[in-house]
Amino acid sequence: MKLFLKFDVKQLCDRILSSQFSNLNINFRILAYGEIEILDKLSKTQWIDVKNTLEDFGITVVEDQKSILIQKIKDAIIEMVNDEEETITVKSSVYLAEKLNHSYGYLSNLFSEITYTSIENYIILQKIEHAKHLITTTSMTLTEIAFKLNYSSVAHLSTQFKNTTGITPSAFQRIIEKRREITL
């Protein structure tokens, strides 16, 4: 038997963090996606325990300033693409510059220097992943998905989807439908 799951990554992370910090008796508060404030001073042993505990869940503590900013860029992009309540209609460059209080040129250069890819490519990858998620978990049409992800048209979504995955969104939908039929 197969189960098809839909889950909120932010809520999942928040619960894991709450559980693990409670187990370690550390007071904290979540400031933003991927950002936590520890309210007590930690000993070296506690700091090592925090890092090791979080690594067991695939969560890495980012320590240098450039890596922190790169992670903030990635988190902002994921938040922008996955926002369920509202479709972001401003350009991604404006959104990132305003959200992170740096010029887009600086963010773009730093991102490319550290990750060896552009912010634009990362946004496309996140949009396609979210499109796949929407196709598999909702009954939205491709037109609705294109609008939700701020594409100018279904053709634009289809082109980027095919360039990224090697198949069209329609073919992806058919594959998912066939898998569901087989598992029933």
Side-chain angles (χ1 to χ4, degrees), residues 80-84 86-88 124 126-158 160-161 168-170 172-173 176-177:
M80 176 182 72
V81 170
N82 295 327
D83 192 345
E84 294 295 326
E86 137 182 13
T87 301
I88 307 294
I124 290 167
Q126 292 306 313
K127 282 183 166 186
I128 299 308
E129 283 305 310
H130 195 57
K132 291 189 316 190
H133 172 75
L134 293 172
I135 289 168
T136 57
T137 62
T138 70
S139 59
M140 291 174 76
T141 66
L142 291 179
T143 302
E144 292 169 327
I145 292 171
F147 177 77
K148 173 98 179 112
L149 295 176
N150 206 19
Y151 280 100
S152 57
S153 66
V154 175
H156 188 205
L157 167 63
S158 295
Q160 285 192 344
F161 196 99
T168 64
S170 300
F172 183 76
Q173 278 181 318
I176 296 302
E177 287 170 12

Side-chain angles (χ1 to χ4, degrees), residues 75-94:
D75 292 343
I77 290 168
I78 291 168
E79 184 179 293
M80 176 182 72
V81 170
N82 295 327
D83 192 345
E84 294 295 326
E85 282 82 47
E86 137 182 13
T87 301
I88 307 294
T89 55
V90 297
K91 287 185 173 185
S92 55
S93 57
V94 172

Side-chain angles (χ1 to χ4, degrees), residues 94-138:
V94 172
Y95 177 82
L96 292 172
E98 288 177 359
K99 181 145 181 93
L100 300 173
N101 297 318
H102 288 284
S103 75
Y104 182 74
Y106 174 73
L107 296 174
S108 180
N109 289 335
L110 180 66
F111 194 87
S112 297
E113 173 191 327
I114 302 294
T115 66
Y116 304 108
T117 190
S118 67
I119 286 178
E120 292 78 14
N121 284 340
Y122 189 78
I123 291 170
I124 290 167
L125 290 173
Q126 292 306 313
K127 282 183 166 186
I128 299 308
E129 283 305 310
H130 195 57
K132 291 189 316 190
H133 172 75
L134 293 172
I135 289 168
T136 57
T137 62
T138 70

Side-chain angles (χ1 to χ4, degrees), residues 65-76:
Q65 291 304 311
K66 283 185 176 181
S67 295
I68 289 170
L69 186 52
I70 294 300
Q71 191 59 50
K72 284 183 177 184
I73 293 168
K74 289 179 177 181
D75 292 343

